Amino acid sequence: MIFSKKEIIIAYTVEKCNLCKKQNKRKFKEGDILFSKCDSCQCGGVFEIDMIYGQAL
Amino acid sequence: MNFTDFNVDEFFGLNDDTSLFMMLIWILPVVIFIFYGQRIQLQITGAEIKKSIKKLDTFKTQSRIQLLDYIQHNCNPKTESTQSIDQMLDYFSIPPVDLDPNGIIPKIKHVIRLREDYTRNNIKSIMPDISDEQLNKIQTLLEITTSLKMIYKIINHLFLTAKKQNNYPLILPLQMMLPFIMEEATASYKAIAAFKADQPIGDSIGPIVVGKMMLNTSKTEIAFQTVMSRVDYDDRRLILLKARGPSSNVGRIADALHEIIKDTKLDAIIMVDAALKYEGEDSADISQGFGAAIGGVGTERFDIEQIATDQGIPIFAVIVKQSVVEAITLMTRDIAQKADQTRDRVYELLQNNTKPGNTVLVIGVGNTIGVPQ
């Protein structure tokens, strides 16, 4: 219909530091797997992928 | 009242200025609707249903194209795979006769396993070098494409049958069910993107909860594509069980349970799963109950319930409510944020319903796409 909007879902990845619990939300990229380790945190800990989800734009 | 001076001309308004033409304007449609009303309704309803059928046709075609493209670009098929994949899309399963339902569950299980195993072997014969993860992914995409094709065939068949016989009441059930069918078909089509990208879906909440509990423990493959690990929590011995991720599969939970009980006496079973919510309920609500929370046709649930009944093992269920669309598409934020809360609910259940020294099996039920352990 003319006024119906198609919902656009964007996938996001949330990384969480295993020490200071700081969270970092970014767009999902290929290869992201839950619980995998990513970059280091400023506190000395390591960011791990805590959540992957889709959110409507 | 005097009925003896009834005048036909006066009754039909023929004496006054009303013309014959104006009379036809209102009497003709009434006559047409009396004799041809059902056919007109059939045409109008048919036009609406045709739009939905066209959409289903698009889903069927596009899902096939996406599957073939994925195979060509990612799996390096040994031979020309299009014909083989098209053959597999037309596979059907004949359910066992149910006139005498006693003993039907093992027969259903046999037919389902046969289809799964032979499809897997056929895929491997076309692409001998693919990994297990890719094999599972292709099997899942194949299932989605097959079901979209089947939905299109059935709806088209019902529509054409009603149209062929000009039978309006025959099209009414289809008109009533079509919104639900379209919702599921649309969700299935959207799920293709999530499976191709290895993103967890709503149904993965069970494996996410148990997978997190399994981190940094030693795992063993106890049944086909099903892993287990042992941890201690609050003086209870926990056996954690989930399908082996991060590939797309649901494991064989009942087979794993058969293996576990051979040498372990279980005091309780806790199953964590996604469940369908009612309209009006909030998504991602966590609820607790009793019984085997596992989907599918019922063969796995039958086996789990049989073992639990024979051995007197209480089964508890912790469910995360969601709609059909949310369960098979990319996990929503609300559901993803409930993983830790669900795990805390499991721990609470352990403390309130089991004693120190007990052995408890905690099962993360669901598709484990994108969820390692």
Side-chain angles (χ1 to χ4, degrees):
Chain A
M1 283 184 68
I2 191 168
F3 293 118
S4 64
K5 282 196 286 188
K6 199 176 168 183
E7 200 182 42
I8 300 170
I9 308 281
I10 310 279
Y12 292 101
T13 300
V14 172
E15 296 168 344
K16 192 174 177 183
C17 175
N18 60 355
L19 281 182
C20 65
K21 310 296 175 199
K22 179 183 167 192
Q23 288 192 346
N24 171 27
K25 180 179 164 184
R26 58 171 172 78
K27 282 220 174 120
F28 175 87
K29 62 176 192 278
E30 201 178 318
D32 280 349
I33 296 281
L34 278 173
F35 317 140
S36 59
K37 295 190 182 344
C38 305
D39 307 320
S40 316
C41 181
Q42 285 173 338
C43 72
V46 178
F47 276 110
E48 289 171 356
I49 294 182
D50 189 50
M51 286 189 276
I52 296 174
Y53 58 77
Q55 211 170 357
L57 198 61
Chain B
M1 285 185 117
N2 189 3
F3 291 107
T4 55
D5 58 354
F6 180 75
N7 188 331
V8 172
D9 290 340
E10 211 176 282
F11 183 75
F12 282 106
L14 295 175
N15 273 348
D16 59 16
D17 295 330
T18 312
S19 69
L20 187 62
F21 177 71
M22 289 307 295
M23 203 177 64
L24 282 173
I25 292 286
W26 69 265
I27 213 167
L28 200 62
V30 171
V31 169
I32 290 172
F33 278 121
I34 287 170
F35 290 106
Y36 295 101
Q38 276 211 346
R39 281 205 188 181
I40 293 169
Q41 275 185 304
L42 185 64
Q43 290 292 329
I44 294 168
T45 313
E48 282 171 27
I49 293 175
K50 237 180 173 173
K51 270 191 244 168
S52 298
I53 289 176
K54 199 170 171 205
K55 213 172 177 185
L56 287 173
D57 190 22
T58 310
F59 288 162
K60 175 192 79 145
T61 314
Q62 288 304 315
S63 61
R64 179 183 168 274
I65 289 171
Q66 286 191 44
L67 171 63
L68 291 172
D69 273 346
Y70 181 83
I71 290 170
Q72 284 301 325
H73 292 116
N74 296 286
C75 301
N76 196 24
K78 187 178 70 170
T79 54
E80 171 53 36
S81 56
T82 308
Q83 198 182 359
S84 309
I85 298 292
D86 282 338
Q87 273 180 4
M88 283 194 260
L89 288 174
D90 277 330
Y91 278 179
F92 58 89
S93 303
I94 302 171
V97 70
D98 57 2
L99 288 174
D100 182 5
N102 186 30
I104 201 174
I105 299 284
K107 293 182 193 174
I108 296 173
K109 196 173 176 180
H110 174 69
V111 171
I112 290 171
R113 291 269 168 99
L114 192 70
R115 180 176 175 148
E116 276 174 16
D117 294 342
Y118 275 78
T119 306
R120 196 177 297 114
N121 290 340
N122 284 344
I123 294 170
K124 248 210 133 81
S125 69
I126 306 166
M127 294 161 265
D129 300 327
I130 56 167
S131 60
D132 282 346
E133 278 77 24
Q134 280 194 317
L135 179 58
N136 286 333
K137 198 188 291 190
I138 291 171
Q139 226 179 335
T140 307
L141 293 175
L142 203 55
E143 273 174 34
I144 295 174
T145 311
T146 307
S147 62
L148 286 171
K149 190 173 183 181
M150 189 50 79
I151 290 172
Y152 166 78
K153 275 192 199 174
I154 292 172
I155 301 300
N156 201 31
H157 161 75
L158 293 172
F159 171 67
L160 291 175
T161 307
K163 215 171 163 222
K164 190 167 138 183
Q165 296 171 8
N166 276 324
N167 192 339
Y168 175 67
L170 207 55
I171 221 172
L172 280 177
L174 181 56
Q175 189 190 23
M176 285 192 286
M177 292 309 298
L178 204 53
F180 302 104
I181 294 166
M182 287 308 295
E183 195 184 13
E184 275 209 44
T186 310
S188 296
Y189 181 69
K190 283 185 190 170
I192 294 173
F195 281 103
K196 275 165 66 175
D198 288 323
Q199 292 164 345
I201 57 175
D203 193 42
S204 307
I205 187 65
I208 288 176
V209 170
V210 174
K212 232 174 187 175
M213 291 164 81
M214 270 183 173
L215 288 176
N216 307 318
T217 64
S218 128
K219 289 87 143 164
T220 48
E221 185 145 332
I222 183 115
F224 181 67
Q225 294 184 344
T226 314
V227 292
M228 169 195 98
S229 76
R230 293 176 191 261
V231 294
D232 285 336
Y233 173 80
D234 198 25
D235 290 332
R236 281 100 170 143
R237 277 188 294 275
L238 300 188
I239 301 174
L240 305 172
L241 189 68
K242 73 180 268 292
R244 192 189 68 215
S247 56
S248 164
N249 73 85
V250 294
R252 289 190 180 169
I253 303 295
D255 290 358
L257 180 57
H258 273 288
E259 284 303 310
I260 290 170
I261 58 161
K262 277 181 185 170
D263 55 13
T264 308
K265 170 83 178 67
L266 294 174
D267 296 294
I269 297 173
I270 299 174
M271 300 181 79
V272 185
D273 194 9
L276 289 179
K277 64 174 183 131
Y278 293 116
E279 283 299 331
E281 277 193 307
D282 289 330
S283 272
D285 269 355
I286 303 169
S287 203
Q288 198 172 307
F290 308 91
I294 183 165
V297 293
T299 52
E300 299 256 326
R301 190 152 72 112
F302 179 87
D303 282 345
I304 294 169
E305 287 165 353
Q306 191 69 58
I307 292 169
T309 309
D310 291 343
Q311 303 210 352
I313 308 170
I315 314 180
F316 301 96
V318 176
I319 57 162
V320 179
K321 293 180 190 172
Q322 49 201 262
S323 66
V324 167
V325 174
E326 286 166 340
I328 60 175
T329 50
L330 173 57
M331 186 174 277
T332 62
R333 190 180 64 161
D334 290 340
I335 296 169
Q337 285 175 338
K338 286 289 174 81
D340 287 341
Q341 243 177 295
T342 312
R343 189 197 53 209
D344 293 340
R345 190 70 91 93
V346 170
Y347 288 145
E348 201 181 296
L349 222 166
L350 281 164
Q351 281 164 348
N352 294 340
N353 297 285
T354 62
K355 292 183 273 226
N358 279 170
T359 304
V360 181
L361 174 63
V362 182
I363 309 174
V365 178
N367 193 309
T368 195
I369 175 94
V371 187
Q373 54 281 324

